[in-house]
Amino acid sequence: IIALAVASAFVAPVYAAEVTLSGDLEIRFHQGEDDGLSSTTDDGDIVVTATEQVGDLSIKAVISAEDLQDAADGDVELHVSGGFGTVAVGDVDNAAASIDEMADVAEANGGTEQVSLATAEAIAVQTVRWTLPEIVPGLVAHVSMGFEAGAANTSSADELDTTSYGARYSVGGVTLGAGVLEVEDAAYDPTYTAISYGNGPLYVAYA
């Protein structure tokens, strides 16, 4: 926020962008048999988003702190949208992890760590994701590549590249999703499927 304020003092066009502040807080209450009622701050996010229309292109920049308990855990993203769809660059989810968000409601304790695509984007340092234009209403498809990846799920300490594909289709409140993450020289390539249903305040998902 301070960096944005400093930038706005020296760059006049910054005032033309629409800037929003958002976030969420997840607090868990636990009733133990022996230790009584306790609570834990599981997750806290804060997000600064700036959007700007440049000709036929829509530009969005996102700076976020994903875990307020860990100041180093933050993301920087740039999204460019037009007739070609949307190209996102930076600390963005890969294509399969974008589908995984369907069931990622309670981030801190919302899933297993066995073959988690929700954290698969951490394998790559930088990701380029292309969201294709919507050809069929309700169908969203992603393709992504990750660069300078670490050695997660591999037997090598070399830098690795990742490729990912994912799609989801929504109709009548029901959403079906599937994706795959291919890691260079990995022992396996994780796959992901999910189904969700939303109606007003009700949201149910299975992954």
Side-chain angles (χ1 to χ4, degrees), residues 32-52:
E33 294 182 359
D34 300 324
D35 54 2
L37 182 65
S38 61
S39 65
T40 304
T41 302
D42 284 340
D43 182 73
D45 305 329
I46 187 168
V47 181
V48 178
T49 304
T51 59
E52 175 70 38

Side-chain angles (χ1 to χ4, degrees), residues 107-133:
E107 298 96 331
N109 295 284
T112 68
E113 295 297 331
Q114 296 177 4
V115 186
S116 176
L117 295 184
T119 57
E121 69 273 17
I123 298 176
V125 176
Q126 293 292 325
T127 300
V128 178
R129 186 186 69 219
W130 177 31
T131 302
L132 282 66

